[in-house]
Amino acid sequence: MFEEKDFTIIGADAERGEAFARKPVTYWGDAFRRFKENKVAVVAFVVLFLLVISVIVVPILSPYDYTKQDLRSRKEWPSAEHIFGTDSLGRDLFTRVFQGGRVSLAIGIIGAAVVAIVGCIYGGIAAYFGGWVDMAMMRVVEVLSSVPNLLVIIMMSLLFDSSSVSTLLFAMCITGWCPVARLVRSQMLQISASEYVMAARVMGVSPLKIVLTHMIPNTISLIIVNITFRIPGFIFSEAFLSYVGLGVQPPSTSWGALASEGQVTLSFYPYMMFFPAFFIALTMLCFTLMGDGLRDALDPKLRR
Amino acid sequence: MSNNNLYEIRNLKRYFPAKNGKVVKAVDDVTFNIARGETFSLVGESGCGKTTCGRTLLGVYPKTAGSILYNGKESSELSRAEQKEFKRQNQMIFQDPYSCLDPRMAIGTIIQEGMNVHYDYTPAERNEKVRELLYKVGLTADFASRFPHELSGGQRQRIGIARALAMNPSFIVCDEPIAALDVSIQAQVINLMIDLQQEMGLTYLFISHDLSMVRHISDRIGVMYLGSLVEVSASGPLYEKPLHPYTKALFSAIPDIGKRSTKERIRLQGEIPNPMNPPPGCKFSSRCPYVTDRCSHEAPQLQELEPDHFVACHMAAVLNK
Ligand SMILES: Nc1ncnc2c1ncn2[C@@H]1O[C@H](COP(=O)(O)OP(=O)(O)O)[C@@H](O)[C@H]1O
Ligand SMILES: [Mg+2]
């Protein structure tokens, strides 16, 4: 007969196995590693980072003030002196584009953040309490999201008798959080009904721990991706509304407002419209590419 | 007898509210015992309340009525400390190997999850435990750093088993643990479960609709139909000589490979009734080939027709002469 000492274990190398087992692998660490491997997304991220830095720094360092008119140098084509040229009132477009970028980016980022926070809280509460609370809250969402956005914005600007950046932001957020609330609610409900949460409950894991280890990680990644895709939407809405005259008012400016001004003289001085339009497009593209990268990185099914 | 039973379930009911004020009697007046160290199986068609029964035992669903004695104590009246111990000793293995593991958790974290609630291990001890458990279920230590989607169905099911074993449980509800696996993998997982049972002295409540696998693993079997137990017996006698017409029909559908089949295939008439309005009297009366007047008025109770072989049928004694 054989005894245990007659056998040696091959194929399962204990030393090597241990090294593997000790390698700390967290979901977020793994996601970060995958994001770094996605070159396109990293480039998009770097471009956005540089863009944010320059909209902060350029208006401060620039020798020109963005409101300062200089009637002797009107409608000048781009040159060493005025890198993006000047507008019809002789203002330096380089300064104005980055000043306008402050407003456009701020609207995009603040808008998305507000929408995310309100949507998470609202959707989380609806999912947590369930029953008639959930029903009532979701009916409100349905009503709100059926109201056309443009109508709300026009009503808001009439109501507050102004069309400023904050009115614009407020109006865009009023209905904007609804999709996030829906997303959060359905995701939360799906997770709390899942078998891995049931397993955790059977094992006696506390509800708080379940929320922290299962519910939030599984929801937050969805939200991050959703928000990244929403930012360009906000930027574009602002640009569009400013373009049709409902948004940012002079002397303050934004990419949309600049494009609108440039459009008047488009056939003679196309550079006036080109630069703001270029930055709108670049920013939206970068956010979309970065969102793609984040989605791939945060979805464990795509882990290689 | 009583002290050899881990579970004694008496007249257990679990109803779910349904639309327009009706109720689904998912588990309706079920009585059985589970002895220490045995494998008790629940079989029956899908929708007959097997899952609900298992989940009600573990307190996932509150019971509607009846009593569940665990080690002789009513499980809904345990003290806080006893409840915690109950949650350590009673575990569950799931049918769907894809939804029972959190896709965003590494395998090592999944296995540790419950362990960390009940045991104060140092991080080094935990890693050692995870390694041990992975070996125990036939995997290697490097699985700890992988994520669920990188694993096959069978490997995931092994992780589910390791997660349950991490608690040093005494009882595991195995809810169709092999139903979603390839046939070639099913036997491996079943054999693993049998080995673990012998090694760790586990008691299983094994839920399945695959009757050929059930025979292999079970000590005793309960046959369910529309929320009620129609027959309870040791597995040998049940397969040799089923007493209830429903069990006969169910077992006549098992293909015998190699043997020339002598038994005739019994075909049931009609569909399984809607659990929201089961037929009055015996729930099987609408499909039973031997139905009598009495069957549609009076619900039969489980009676011991042969030693340790219980059947709920008015006609059983006559039919099995
Ligand atoms: N959470 C639930 N809510 C409402 N009805 C349920 C729920 N779970 C199960 N049921 C109903 O209870 C009955 C038994 O279901 P189940 O226990 O899953 O059966 P099985 O596991 O034998 O297939 C079914 O009719 C099902 O529709
Ligand atoms: Mg089931």
Side-chain angles (χ1 to χ4, degrees):
Chain A
M1 278 311 268
F2 289 112
E3 285 173 50
E4 199 167 334
K5 65 177 168 54
D6 297 329
F7 293 91
T8 52
I9 297 170
I10 58 166
D13 182 349
E15 293 296 309
R16 220 169 123 256
E18 202 153 3
F20 271 114
R22 295 246 169 94
K23 191 181 77 181
V25 179
T26 63
Y27 168 63
W28 295 106
D30 192 60
F32 182 60
R33 180 186 62 77
R34 266 175 299 154
F35 185 77
K36 278 193 306 190
E37 282 171 8
N38 187 337
K39 293 288 170 285
V40 175
V42 172
V43 168
F45 174 76
V46 171
V47 170
L48 285 174
F49 181 74
L50 293 178
L51 211 57
V52 169
I53 297 291
S54 28
V55 300
I56 295 171
V57 171
V58 168
I60 298 172
L61 295 185
S62 164
Y64 304 99
D65 183 87
Y66 79 100
T67 53
K68 170 103 179 309
Q69 303 178 5
D70 181 357
L71 297 180
R72 282 164 308 165
S73 51
R74 292 162 56 207
K75 300 182 180 173
E76 281 184 10
W77 280 74
S79 63
E81 206 171 326
H82 298 287
I83 300 169
F84 290 176
T86 61
D87 70 1
S88 44
L89 294 173
R91 293 175 290 198
D92 178 52
L93 267 181
F94 186 70
T95 317
R96 282 179 72 73
V97 163
F98 285 99
Q99 177 67 34
R102 282 187 179 184
V103 174
S104 288
L105 283 176
I107 286 181
I109 292 168
I110 296 172
V114 169
V115 158
I117 292 167
V118 174
C120 284
I121 294 173
Y122 194 93
I125 290 175
Y128 186 83
F129 288 102
W132 67 268
V133 178
D134 177 38
M135 239 243 320
M137 288 176 87
M138 283 301 121
R139 289 302 89 77
V140 171
V141 165
E142 272 162 30
V143 170
L144 268 183
S145 41
S146 64
V147 179
N149 233 332
L150 199 57
L151 200 66
V152 175
I153 293 162
I154 295 169
M155 269 166 31
M156 283 291 151
S157 48
L158 288 177
L159 196 67
F160 293 116
D161 201 22
S162 80
S163 33
S164 66
V165 175
S166 45
T167 318
L168 195 65
L169 202 52
F170 184 69
M172 288 199 293
C173 290
I174 249 184
T175 56
W177 57 269
C178 292
V180 183
R182 280 219 191 98
L183 180 79
V184 169
R185 172 183 170 273
S186 69
Q187 182 71 5
M188 287 280 192
L189 288 180
Q190 195 188 333
I191 297 168
S192 61
S194 72
E195 290 181 340
Y196 53 84
V197 167
M198 185 183 293
R201 277 207 294 261
V202 166
M203 293 188 298
V205 180
S206 69
L208 180 67
K209 195 102 191 283
I210 290 177
V211 168
L212 292 178
T213 56
H214 294 292
M215 310 281 263
I216 291 181
N218 276 294
T219 312
I220 205 149
S221 47
L222 263 190
I223 296 167
I224 291 176
V225 173
N226 187 277
I227 289 314
T228 315
F229 285 123
R230 290 294 292 279
I231 293 176
F234 271 92
I235 293 177
F236 187 75
S237 295
E238 181 278 323
F240 168 73
L241 291 166
S242 298
Y243 190 86
V244 298
L246 278 171
V248 178
Q249 301 299 315
S252 150
T253 194
S254 72
W255 287 338
L258 285 170
S260 170
E261 284 166 23
Q263 176 255 347
V264 179
T265 54
L266 180 64
S267 36
F268 301 106
Y269 306 101
Y271 67 90
M272 283 192 206
M273 182 153 176
F274 171 77
F275 290 110
F278 170 77
F279 277 96
I280 294 172
L282 179 70
T283 311
M284 289 177 64
L285 180 68
C286 285
F287 271 112
T288 308
L289 292 176
M290 192 172 87
D292 274 337
L294 282 174
R295 188 188 51 205
D296 294 352
L298 291 170
D299 187 347
K301 289 192 190 66
L302 297 172
R303 187 181 193 244
R304 280 179 295 265
Chain B
M1 170 184 173
S2 150
N3 51 17
N4 194 32
N5 284 334
L6 187 65
Y7 271 101
E8 287 169 38
I9 294 114
R10 298 277 166 270
N11 306 99
L12 181 68
K13 294 179 184 171
R14 168 64 208 181
Y15 297 170
F16 289 108
K19 285 196 194 97
N20 48 45
K22 288 188 173 167
V23 290
V24 177
K25 300 183 173 180
V27 173
D28 194 16
D29 208 356
V30 159
T31 298
F32 62 98
N33 297 329
I34 302 174
R36 252 173 255 285
E38 79 167 344
T39 299
F40 186 91
S41 290
L42 283 178
V43 301
E45 287 163 286
S46 144
C48 68
K50 308 179 297 290
T51 298
T52 308
C53 187
R55 291 183 179 178
T56 312
L57 281 197
L58 296 200
V60 174
Y61 299 146
K63 65 185 184 207
T64 307
S67 76
I68 301 169
L69 299 182
Y70 176 67
N71 281 324
K73 259 192 183 165
E74 181 58 51
S75 71
S76 55
E77 291 162 9
L78 299 176
S79 69
R80 273 191 91 80
E82 283 170 331
Q83 258 176 34
K84 192 174 177 199
E85 184 60 13
F86 181 87
K87 291 191 165 174
R88 185 188 68 72
Q89 290 177 0
N90 294 270
Q91 295 308 320
M92 185 150 19
I93 300 173
F94 296 88
Q95 171 172 8
D96 183 359
Y98 290 87
S99 70
C100 74
L101 307 177
D102 187 336
R104 289 183 164 75
M105 265 192 187
I107 299 300
T109 321
I110 291 176
I111 295 178
Q112 283 179 26
E113 191 182 11
M115 196 164 86
N116 293 347
V117 177
H118 295 272
Y119 298 98
D120 288 324
Y121 292 138
T122 63
E125 282 171 333
R126 275 182 219 159
N127 282 337
E128 183 53 34
K129 277 278 167 198
V130 168
R131 229 166 64 96
E132 238 171 62
L133 286 161
L134 283 169
Y135 279 120
K136 208 170 215 169
V137 296
L139 301 174
T140 52
D142 61 307
F143 276 83
S145 59
R146 299 199 195 169
F147 282 81
H149 66 92
E150 297 172 70
L151 276 53
S152 68
Q155 289 169 337
R156 283 156 165 261
Q157 208 53 286
R158 286 167 193 264
I159 300 300
I161 296 172
R163 170 174 64 189
L165 292 182
M167 315 286 276
N168 285 321
S170 43
F171 177 69
I172 303 182
V173 173
C174 314
D175 191 351
E176 312 213 20
I178 53 165
L181 304 180
D182 287 348
V183 178
S184 56
I185 311 292
Q186 288 185 347
Q188 291 176 15
V189 172
I190 287 289
N191 288 335
L192 171 70
M193 290 175 60
I194 295 175
D195 291 347
L196 290 168
Q197 178 173 39
Q198 283 162 0
E199 192 183 325
M200 304 177 69
L202 298 168
T203 306
Y204 287 149
L205 175 65
F206 190 86
I207 294 171
S208 181
H209 61 253
D210 179 348
L211 294 166
S212 40
M213 275 299 171
V214 166
R215 177 173 207 170
H216 187 53
I217 192 170
S218 316
D219 296 307
R220 286 193 311 134
I221 299 174
V223 182
M224 279 184 91
Y225 183 78
L226 276 184
S228 303
L229 273 176
V230 295
E231 189 163 356
V232 180
S233 161
S235 80
L238 191 74
Y239 278 84
E240 298 300 320
K241 191 184 173 201
L243 299 180
H244 196 282
Y246 176 64
T247 320
K248 288 181 188 184
L250 205 59
F251 285 10
S252 76
I254 308 174
D256 292 315
I257 296 166
K259 274 186 265 179
R260 180 159 306 166
S261 184
T262 49
K263 62 187 179 189
E264 65 188 293
R265 172 107 192 243
I266 304 170
R267 287 182 193 281
L268 293 177
Q269 324 139 3
E271 290 283 303
I272 188 162
N274 185 334
M276 258 184 285
N277 40 5
C282 174
K283 287 177 176 168
F284 188 56
S285 59
S286 64
R287 295 170 81 192
C288 183
Y290 314 107
V291 64
T292 64
D293 242 9
R294 189 181 169 203
C295 299
S296 39
H297 299 126
E298 192 188 329
Q301 299 298 312
L302 277 180
Q303 43 177 317
E304 195 166 1
L305 200 67
E306 285 173 14
D308 269 332
H309 193 152
F310 298 81
V311 59
C313 178
H314 295 309
M315 301 296 292
V318 183
L319 291 174
N320 297 292
K321 267 273 146 49

